[in-house]
Each structure stands twice: as structure tokens, then as C-alpha cells.
């Protein structure tokens, strides 16, 4: 049966070459199977037929769509002053009359309308000078309406402007779908094992496909949606988990068999503070991975300031205890330098050779680094993309740590693996909390560790939302904080480095702050993207050294500035920032023992989304909760950026709304693969065939059907 689904779409009766071309270009529908899995995005209840005299109370003001039965009595063209006229038909039933109006396609419509013949019309009703009218109604002869494969809940399919202009309406798509079901006799191969259908009470494939396009009832529609959403997510999870299992079996890692002197000495004598329970748990997970014979591939998530760096360092000590080198790759020089300073501080009494390699490293220093790396004398190297250069060769790289992995492409990462015969263990760190649902889908092939508690002694940052009209009170508060010896960040949005308006906002802000906080009592620094790197560094250094009280900046400081004495973050035009950016900026304060504050300044005009963002920031400091809200507001594609969004081209499931189904799908996929990883049991044959096909292509629905 599935062979027919490979038929090119133009062969479907009623489609033909020109419509086929349109469907390909506009909707990516190439074959019968693509049309079958082109799912409706909503449904209209068509159980009720109205009379014209029932319209007033029902439809006006509610913008509702109604369905009526009647006849067309007259048709006329009404000229308008500004050129084009409109086509108006009088539509009657036994209770009254109304007008049907068309502004486009008049010639074709006029020729096709039949006078005094029963029609079913459907559309939105409005009233003008006491007369009801319906613009561009859906029309169907009553006789055809009674014969067609109709469902009480009428599907509405996604469309584009071009399709509508070229006469491919929702009704046309509906007719194509009817034709498809007639040609295939609605028989589709079952792709899930029977025991799974019984266990989860899923309806069969045929019933699900039929009821998603032609629902017999609300209850059957819900069952069809659940079945198809589960199936989509289940096959994606099968793919991700299999990938992980294969890697664990195939890709051997260096077994780090012992925990030796470096680790023990550091843990007992040099640990600057007591580890949190979350850090201990994560270290244990990493240690188990490193001790197995498989390559570690772990994602370490932890909020800003949760202590990921020390976990990374202690993992490097395990590598060192087993005679291996480690590297840490960060996306920017500022961040790489900060890691270098942090790790050098931790290792200062331990006789460990740590060096930094970035684009700015001098030739002489590079030569020494290259040399020491190849001889195995350099234990830990920290750097940017510079680590990927061919000249950088390790004697035995055992552990690669990547910070903020979404900033590196897949090819860049694979260059790092090829530096060794046996690929190194991989630990990916991110301070951008990824909602659990997204993590299960995007990083389902990685093992995930989460540091979900902050070090003791850190006071939660207090966040408040203030309007521009409260500025005097805010400035008074800042002066009080500076009087206590604290420092302040004031951040302006930057949508585009060269945008004049943003630069002007920043400079105007800087000038007014310099007036309100004048010398010699106050000193203000400024940092923005148009400054030379050396000037930027100098301003940052002066602020870090406490020589200036206020740092006025664009989002340059979002990543990688650590000034424990800075206790207030003011974010100007906070409504122009996304939630994750606001959360990252807030994480720049609260690094010392003092109470810290984040003040979100906005205008009074706020969209509903902006209000939700401000309310969320004031309510919680939990990065994971914030990420969940962000996912709801922006959707998965936006959240992950372009490199990752391809994974999420889901056709029926939704990662936000269907998280419960996703969890069931993942649980079932893990259970099945534990029982039969190669999917070789007789009851898994149909599923295995789909899985193999799916591994070759991107869109899973091409072969699930």
C-alpha cells in the first residue's frame, strides 16, 4: 500500500502539472504521502445550519462563521467610484434574504453561479445598513454537499497568499484530500507494534489518518491527534536514543581507571569552598562515564554562577591522573580569558601547566604552546576557535570541554575529535538553561547533567520593574548603593551594531548619566561595540578594579565579566530584550556576598508578551522556569537559533503543548530498545522498516505512512 504514497502529486485527479508545481513550491507537497501528512491546523464545527432570520442575535459582534442553505435569486455588478466594482448576489431562504459579495475573481464566479438552485454557503456575516452580507463565501451545491465525504468538524489547512490568489482554497485542498483517500482506499500500513497500541490504547493507523482529516466526532479527533503526535515523537526519540547507544557501543573512549593524586590533593587541600550536592552528583555522573569504556558525551547545564567551572576543572584533574591532556574551548576571547584566569587560580599551588591560546596570542607564545602540547608537557589548554587549527596537535587529548556549544557548528566540533586516534571524552557546558522538553528532543543523544542549586551564601537577586516615570527614585537608589561602596551596570539594548538609533540611545543615556552622576563624586565608564578592543579592555579593567562606579554598556557585557562588587544591574528599554538575554544580564550581578538588585526600566506601552517577560523576571530567578516561559512565548525554532531548528520541523506534535506525550514517547522508546535494541523481533519488523527509511531522510512522515 505504501508504494502508492510515493506517486508524484500531479497524478492525483484534480491536481495536474500547474497545481502540482504550486503545491511543491508553497507547501513542500511532492507526493501523495506529503499530502496525507499535511495536517489541518484547526477545525470548524459545521453541524449547525442557520436561517437568515436567526443571524442577528447569533453572529454579529462575535465574528463567527455560519452555514446556511438557500438559493441565489439575482446577480449584479455594482460599480464603485474608485475603479473596480464588486459582484453582489441576493441569497434567499424561506425566512429572509441577504447579500453575497465578491471583490475578486468576479468573471469566473459570475459564470459558475447557478440561479434558483439550492446551495450551502459558509462564511463570516456582517451587517451594513440593516442588510446582512457575507464576503467571499464558500459555496457548494446542496446536492454535492450531501454526497461529499464530509465531517461534522471541517478541517482548515495551513495556506499561503499565493495559493489563495491562484484559486487553491481550503475547499480545494479538502477535495484533494477526499480524492487521495478514495484512491488509497484509506489503507495505510501500521507502523507501531500491536502490543504498544494496546498498552497505550492508541487507535489504529487507518482510523487515525481518517479522523485527522475527516473527524467523525470531537472524541475521535482527539484520539487521532494523540496517536499521531505520539508516533512522531516516538520515532524521533528512537532515533536519538539509538544514536546514543550506538556511540556507546562503537566509539570507544579512553577508560580513566583511577582517581589519583591530582584529584584527591585538590579535593582535600585546595577546594576553595564546599561543593553543593548538585555539583557532587554531577561529578559522580561524569566519573562513571569516564570510567566506562565508552566515549562520554554529556551536556552540563547550570545557571549563571552555579559553579560549572569547578566541575570542569575537577574533570580535567581526572584526565591528568590518567595521563591525558584536556582542552576547554570557549566562543569568545573574553570568555576564554576568564576561564583561563579562573582555572589558573584554582591550580596555582598544584604544579599544573595551563596555557591560553586565542587569535590574539603572539607567534612566539604559540610556538611554545604547539611544542609543549605535542610533547605532552602542557596539561590543560584553554582557547577559542584557535584550538581547531591544524597546527594544534596533542600528544594525547583525553577530555574536550566546550562552553556554550550552540555557538559552534558541528564541523568545528568534529575537527577537535580528529586530533586523536581515539576521540576524547566530551563535556558540553551551557549557562543557557534549556527546557527539559527541548533538551529531550535536541540533545536526546547526549546524557544530561544539571547543576540546579546555587553555592551557599549567594543571596537571590531582587528584581523589580520600573517605568521611565520613576527614574528619579531609581537614580536616588543608585546613589545610595554607590555611597555603600557598590558598583552599577546600566545596559542599553543593541539590536544592530551599526544602527544609528541604538548608538544614539546609548550616547544620550551616557551623557544624561554623566550629568546626574557628576565628577568628582562619581566616575562613569562606557563600553560599546564600536570601540577598539584595547579601549574596551581598559574600560572593563578600570571598572573591575573599582576605579569607576558606573559601567554604561551595550550587551557586550552579557557574557564574561566578573565583578563581585557590582550589585545593581539596570536594564534600559527592557521590553526590547528576550527573556534569556534578560536572565543572562541579571547573572552579571549577585556574585558577591552583598544583596544585589536588577531594575528593569520600560516605557508604559507594553505588549502582552513584554508584560509576561517582566512579570516572569520579577517572580523567579530559576533559569529553567524562565526558559520554559521563553519556549511558550517564542517557540522552539527561535529559541535554539538556526543551527538547531531543523531538528524541530514537527508536523503535528508541539514541544510546548505536548510535553506529556513527549515524555511517554521517550519512556516507551527507552523500554523498547532495552528489550530489543536491533528491533529484530517479529513484532518490530514494520517499525524497523520505518526506522531504517527514516534514518536516511529528514521528514519522518514520508515513511511513517
Amino acid at each position: 500500500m505504501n508504494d502508492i504514497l510515493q506517486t508524484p502529486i500531479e497524478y492525483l485527479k484534480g491536481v495536474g502539472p500547474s497545481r502540482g508545481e504550486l503545491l511543491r513550491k508553497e507547501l513542500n507537497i511532492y507526493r501523495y504521502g506529503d499530502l496525507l501528512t499535511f495536517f489541518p491546523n484547526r477545525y470548524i464545527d459545521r453541524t449547525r445550519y442557520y436561517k437568515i432570520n436567526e443571524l442577528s442575535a447569533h453572529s454579529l459582534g462575535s465574528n463567527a462563521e455560519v452555514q446556511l442553505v438557500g438559493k441565489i435569486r439575482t446577480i449584479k455588478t455594482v460599480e464603485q467610484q474608485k475603479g473596480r466594482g464588486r459582484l453582489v448576489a441576493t441569497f434567499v431562504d424561506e425566512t429572509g434574504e441577504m447579500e453575497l459579495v465578491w471583490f475578486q475573481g468576479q468573471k469566473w464566479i459570475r459564470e459558475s453561479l447557478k440561479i434558483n438552485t439550492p446551495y450551502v454557503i459558509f462564511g463570516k456575516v456582517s451587517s451594513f445598513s440593516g442588510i446582512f452580507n457575507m464576503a467571499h463565501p464558500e459555496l457548494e451545491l446542496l446536492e454535492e454537499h450531501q454526497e461529499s465525504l464530509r465531517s461534522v468538524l471541517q478541517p482548515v489547512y495551513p495556506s499561503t497568499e499565493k495559493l489563495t490568489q491562484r484559486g487553491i482554497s481550503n475547499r480545494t485542498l479538502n477535495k484533494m484530500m477526499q480524492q487521495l483517500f478514495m484512491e488509497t482506499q484509506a489503507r495505510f500500513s501500521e507502523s507501531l507494534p500491536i502490543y504498544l497500541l494496546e498498552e497505550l490504547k492508541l487507535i489504529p493507523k487507518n482510523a487515525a489518518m481518517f479522523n485527522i482529516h475527516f473527524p467523525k466526532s470531537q472524541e475521535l479527533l482527539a484520539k487521532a491527534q494523540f496517536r499521531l503526535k505520539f508516533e512522531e515523537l516516538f520515532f524521533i526519540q528512537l532515533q536519538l536514543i539509538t544514536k546514543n547507544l550506538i556511540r556507546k557501543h562503537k566509539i570507544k573512549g579512553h577508560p580513566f581507571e583511577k582517581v589519583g593524586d591530582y584529584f584527591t590533593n585538590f579535593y582535600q587541600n585546595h577546594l576553595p569552598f564546599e561543593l553543593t550536592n548538585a555539583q557532587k552528583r554531577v561529578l559522580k555522573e561524569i566519573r562513571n562515564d569516564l570510567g566506562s569504556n565508552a566515549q562520554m558525551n554529556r551536556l552540563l547545564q547550570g545557571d549563571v554562577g552555579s559553579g560549572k567551572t569547578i566541575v570542569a576543572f575537577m574533570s580535567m584533574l581526572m584526565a591528568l591522573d590518567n595521563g591525558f591532556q584536556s582542552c576547554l574551548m570557549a566562543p569568545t576571547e573574553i570568555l576564554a580569558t576568564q576561564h583561563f584566569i579562573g582555572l589558573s587560580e584554582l591550580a596555582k599551588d598544584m604544579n599544573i601547566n595551563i596555557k591560553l591560546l586565542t587569535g590574539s596570542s603572539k607567534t612566539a607564545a604559540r610556538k611554545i604552546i604547539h611544542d609543549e602540547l605535542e610533547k605532552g608537557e602542557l596539561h590543560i589548554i584553554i582557547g577559542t576557535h584557535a584550538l581547531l587549527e591544524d597546527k594544534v596537535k596533542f600528544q594525547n587529548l583525553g577530555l574536550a570541554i566546550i562552553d556554550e556549544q550552540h555557538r559552534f557548528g558541528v564541523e568545528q566540533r568534529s575537527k577537535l575529535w580528529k586530533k586523536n586516534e581515539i576521540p576524547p571524552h566530551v563535556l558540553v557546558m551551557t549557562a543557557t538553561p534549556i527546557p527539559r522538553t527541548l533538551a529531550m528532543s535536541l540533545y536526546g543523544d547526549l546524557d544530561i547533567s544539571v547543576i540546579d542549586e546555587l553555592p551557599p551564601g549567594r543571596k537571590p537577586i531582587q528584581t523589580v520593574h520600573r517605568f521611565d516615570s520613576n527614574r528619579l527614585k531609581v537614580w536616588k537608589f543608585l546613589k545610595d548603593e554607590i555611597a555603600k561602596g557598590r558598583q552599577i551596570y546600566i545596559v542599553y539594548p543593541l539590536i544592530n551594531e551599526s544602527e544609528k538609533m541604538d548608538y544614539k540611545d546609548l550616547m544620550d543615556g551616557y551623557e544624561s548619566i554623566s550629568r546626574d552622576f557628576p565628577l568628582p563624586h562619581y566616575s562613569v565608564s562606557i563600553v560599546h561595540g564600536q570601540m577598539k578592543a584595547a579601549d574596551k579592555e581598559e574600560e572593563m579593567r578600570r571598572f573591575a578594579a573599582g576605579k569607576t562606579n558606573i559601567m554604561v554598556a551595550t550587551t557586550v557585557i552579557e557574557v564574561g565579566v566578573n565583578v563581585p562588587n557590582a550589585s545593581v544591574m539596570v536594564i534600559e528599554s527592557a521590553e526590547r530584550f528576550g527573556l534569556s538575554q534578560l536572565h543572562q544580564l541579571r547573572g552579571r550581578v549577585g556574585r558577591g556576598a552583598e544583596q544585589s538588585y536588577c531594575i528593569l526600566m520600560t516605557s508604559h506601552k507594553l505588549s502582552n508578551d513584554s508584560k509576561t517577560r517582566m512579570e516572569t523576571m520579577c517572580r523567579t530567578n530559576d533559569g529553567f522556569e524562565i526558559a520554559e516561559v521563553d519556549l511558550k512565548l517564542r517557540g522552539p525554532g527561535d529559541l535554539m537559533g538556526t543551527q538547531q531548528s531543523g531538528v524541530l520541523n514537527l508536523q503535528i506534535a508541539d514541544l510546548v503543548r505536548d510535553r506529556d506525550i513527549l515524555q511517554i514517547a521517550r519512556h516507551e522508546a527507552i523500554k523498547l530498545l532495552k528489550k530489543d535494541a536491533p528491533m529484530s523481533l517479529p513484532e518490530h519488523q514494520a517499525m524497523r522498516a520505518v526506522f531504517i527509511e527514516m534514518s536516511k531522510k529528514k521528514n519522518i512522515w514520508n515513511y511513517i505512512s
Side-chain angles (χ1 to χ4, degrees):
M1 175 66 237
N2 284 356
D3 294 347
I4 193 171
L5 295 178
Q6 297 304 317
T7 312
I9 195 67
E10 54 266 33
Y11 292 110
L12 186 72
K13 190 179 168 198
V15 177
S18 64
R19 275 184 170 180
E21 185 61 22
L22 260 182
L23 291 175
R24 278 194 291 275
K25 273 193 182 148
E26 295 294 301
L27 301 173
N28 281 330
I29 294 175
Y30 288 81
R31 299 184 172 81
Y32 281 21
D34 298 327
L35 180 62
L36 179 66
T37 57
F38 182 62
F39 298 120
N41 53 7
R42 64 187 180 96
Y43 298 84
I44 300 165
D45 188 351
R46 298 274 298 250
T47 45
R48 168 104 204 252
Y49 296 87
Y50 288 84
K51 300 287 182 198
I52 291 173
N53 68 354
E54 289 178 303
L55 292 180
S56 54
H58 166 79
S59 62
L60 289 186
S62 69
N63 204 18
E65 294 171 301
V66 294
Q67 180 170 245
L68 302 101
V69 181
K71 295 176 181 177
I72 291 172
R73 211 168 49 198
T74 61
I75 308 170
K76 62 181 178 183
T77 301
V78 178
E79 296 300 334
Q80 281 174 285
Q81 287 171 347
K82 290 182 182 173
R84 298 180 58 182
R86 62 186 191 274
L87 188 67
V88 179
T90 309
F91 183 81
V92 299
D93 69 5
E94 63 275 21
T95 70
E97 64 177 58
M98 62 184 287
E99 288 184 344
L100 309 182
V101 186
W102 292 269
F103 299 97
Q104 285 155 346
Q106 296 175 26
K107 182 176 180 291
W108 176 78
I109 289 161
R110 188 168 198 144
E111 285 166 7
S112 64
L113 290 178
K114 298 181 177 178
I115 306 282
N116 292 326
T117 309
Y119 273 104
V120 176
I121 66 164
F122 178 77
K124 286 182 183 167
V125 173
S126 53
S127 169
F128 187 70
S129 306
I131 297 170
F132 289 108
N133 64 64
M134 189 184 281
H136 287 269
E138 271 188 37
L139 280 162
E140 194 173 14
L141 290 167
L142 179 62
E143 191 183 355
E144 285 178 15
H145 180 75
Q146 286 163 339
E147 283 173 7
S148 68
L149 177 59
R150 239 171 3 92
S151 54
V152 290
L153 292 158
Q154 176 132 5
V156 178
Y157 293 95
S159 188
T160 68
E161 208 176 315
K162 204 165 196 178
L163 287 177
T164 319
Q165 284 169 355
R166 301 280 292 275
I168 299 185
S169 62
N170 193 60
R171 191 160 147 247
T172 315
L173 286 165
N174 212 312
K175 282 197 160 160
M176 287 178 189
M177 206 60 82
Q178 291 181 31
Q179 183 61 34
L180 178 71
F181 272 75
M182 277 154 59
E183 287 190 28
T184 55
Q185 297 172 348
R187 286 212 298 265
F188 309 110
S189 314
E190 185 53 72
S191 43
L192 295 174
I194 302 301
Y195 70 82
L196 200 54
L197 300 182
E198 287 169 357
E199 182 196 328
L200 297 174
K201 301 190 170 59
L202 299 174
I203 62 172
K205 181 56 162 269
N206 291 335
M209 279 301 188
F210 188 85
N211 281 286
I212 202 82
H213 293 293
F214 310 105
K216 293 268 188 240
S217 67
Q218 197 70 50
E219 186 194 2
L220 274 167
L221 172 62
K223 284 184 171 172
Q225 286 172 326
F226 185 88
R227 148 80 207 227
L228 295 170
K229 286 174 176 185
F230 171 82
E231 182 169 355
E232 181 166 42
L233 295 167
F234 176 73
F235 274 101
I236 287 171
Q237 290 303 319
L238 271 187
Q239 251 193 331
L240 290 168
I241 297 157
T242 306
K243 209 162 134 189
N244 195 355
L245 289 173
I246 288 171
R247 198 186 48 246
K248 283 183 176 165
H249 286 298
K250 264 195 185 167
I251 304 182
K252 295 287 171 252
H254 303 285
F256 291 1
E257 280 153 1
K258 62 179 183 190
V259 171
D261 296 346
Y262 280 111
F263 187 93
T264 316
N265 176 18
F266 179 77
Y267 191 73
Q268 288 172 355
N269 306 319
H270 302 293
L271 199 59
F273 47 77
E274 175 70 22
L275 293 179
T276 63
N277 288 329
Q279 286 171 315
K280 287 177 184 167
R281 183 188 70 239
V282 167
L283 268 170
K284 203 170 170 184
E285 289 166 353
I286 291 170
R287 212 168 116 180
N288 289 341
D289 281 359
L290 296 174
S292 77
N293 275 326
Q295 181 206 23
M296 170 169 84
N297 220 1
R298 190 167 280 282
L299 174 70
L300 174 58
Q301 286 186 264
D303 232 329
V304 177
S306 61
K308 294 185 296 295
T309 310
I310 200 155
V311 169
F313 179 64
M314 291 173 81
S315 306
M316 290 169 160
L317 294 180
M318 290 184 217
L320 206 46
D321 276 333
N322 288 275
F324 289 97
Q325 296 165 299
S326 303
C327 71
L328 192 164
M329 188 160 83
T332 63
E333 285 201 18
I334 289 183
L335 202 50
T337 308
Q338 194 183 315
H339 278 308
F340 175 66
I341 294 165
L343 295 188
S344 302
E345 179 61 27
L346 291 171
K348 65 176 184 275
D349 302 321
M350 292 185 61
N351 192 24
I352 294 174
N353 187 358
I354 302 182
K355 289 211 162 79
L356 175 69
L357 179 67
T358 69
S360 312
S361 301
K362 299 279 183 285
T363 314
R366 277 170 190 264
K367 198 170 173 341
I368 294 168
I369 289 172
H370 293 162
D371 200 41
E372 288 184 355
L373 266 184
E374 275 198 76
K375 286 181 181 160
E377 292 164 9
L378 184 51
H379 303 131
I380 294 173
I381 180 140
I382 295 156
T384 54
H385 296 78
L387 293 179
L388 301 173
E389 290 168 6
D390 294 337
K391 290 183 192 127
V392 179
K393 293 189 173 68
F394 294 83
Q395 188 187 56
N396 53 355
L397 177 63
L399 173 65
I401 300 178
I402 299 179
D403 199 14
E404 297 301 344
Q405 98 136 17
H406 58 277
R407 310 272 286 274
F408 294 103
V410 179
E411 286 155 38
Q412 290 174 315
R413 296 200 302 271
S414 67
K415 270 189 177 174
L416 206 48
W417 309 169
K418 289 174 187 154
K419 303 253 176 203
N420 256 37
E421 290 281 310
I422 296 179
H425 294 292
V426 179
L427 183 66
V428 170
M429 301 198 297
T430 178
T432 311
I434 301 160
R436 179 108 189 89
T437 39
L438 259 193
M440 284 194 304
S441 301
L442 285 173
Y443 299 113
D445 59 328
L446 290 172
D447 299 306
I448 296 176
S449 290
V450 179
I451 303 183
D452 48 10
E453 75 187 285
L454 288 177
R458 285 270 175 105
K459 294 183 179 146
I461 300 162
Q462 286 186 18
T463 305
V464 292
H465 172 210
R466 295 287 179 262
F467 292 110
D468 291 335
S469 49
N470 300 112
R471 192 169 293 281
L472 286 175
K473 280 186 181 166
V474 172
W475 269 198
K476 162 87 172 66
F477 172 73
L478 298 188
K479 285 176 177 171
D480 292 346
E481 283 297 296
I482 292 171
K484 295 179 196 166
R486 313 269 182 269
Q487 287 167 282
I488 318 275
Y489 291 111
I490 301 180
V491 176
Y492 283 81
L494 188 73
I495 293 171
N496 182 327
E497 287 269 314
S498 61
E499 228 173 80
K500 297 260 185 339
M501 183 177 112
D502 292 324
Y503 186 66
K504 184 176 175 299
D505 282 356
L506 178 79
M507 296 321 283
D508 287 354
Y510 174 65
E511 280 167 23
S512 70
I513 289 160
S514 300
R515 276 197 303 275
D516 293 334
F517 294 85
L519 289 162
H521 306 294
Y522 303 98
S523 173
V524 184
S525 276
I526 182 164
V527 171
H528 57 81
Q530 295 178 358
M531 288 165 75
K532 290 193 177 103
D535 296 344
K536 239 190 270 186
E537 294 290 331
E538 175 58 17
E539 287 288 296
M540 297 254 201
R541 198 190 55 66
R542 288 180 63 220
F543 185 68
K547 292 195 172 131
T548 54
N549 318 101
I550 298 176
M551 160 75 79
V552 177
T554 55
T555 46
V556 175
I557 61 153
E558 184 185 342
V559 175
V561 188
N562 190 6
V563 182
N565 190 46
S567 63
V568 185
M569 167 64 72
V570 180
I571 304 176
E572 293 283 356
S573 307
E575 69 271 28
R576 285 168 69 184
F577 290 90
L579 259 180
S580 62
Q581 231 184 348
L582 290 171
H583 181 62
Q584 288 276 356
L585 284 168
R586 172 166 66 184
R588 295 289 123 222
V589 295
R591 293 176 164 244
E594 307 305 331
Q595 176 62 58
S596 289
Y597 305 89
C598 175
I599 303 170
L600 307 170
M601 302 293 294
T602 71
S603 63
H604 276 278
K605 276 189 191 161
L606 289 181
S607 67
N608 287 338
D609 277 5
S610 297
K611 284 178 189 159
T612 306
R613 290 201 295 271
M614 299 309 125
E615 183 271 321
T616 306
M617 286 294 293
C618 295
R619 187 186 75 245
T620 180
N621 279 299
D622 179 345
F624 287 95
E625 195 183 330
I626 287 167
E628 290 287 352
V629 176
D630 208 13
L631 181 60
K632 282 183 186 138
L633 290 177
R634 288 164 58 196
D638 283 348
L639 211 60
M640 296 318 299
T642 47
Q643 302 101 314
Q644 310 286 3
S645 58
V647 186
L648 297 169
N649 256 332
L650 298 176
Q651 284 199 270
I652 189 161
D654 176 298
L655 286 181
V656 182
R657 288 197 295 271
D658 302 323
R659 48 195 293 189
D660 298 349
I661 306 178
L662 172 64
Q663 279 172 336
I664 297 167
R666 187 166 177 85
H667 172 72
E668 291 297 338
I670 291 170
K671 205 162 81 178
L672 187 143
L673 290 169
K674 273 185 181 163
K675 174 177 153 187
D676 178 23
M679 303 184 224
S680 54
L681 293 174
E683 62 266 34
H684 293 156
Q685 289 315 293
M687 183 182 74
R688 184 168 187 262
V690 170
F691 180 81
I692 290 168
E693 272 304 304
M694 181 182 160
S695 307
K696 296 176 193 169
K697 301 174 193 166
K698 273 216 166 145
N699 172 2
I700 74 168
W701 285 106
N702 288 345
Y703 13 84
I704 286 186
S705 301

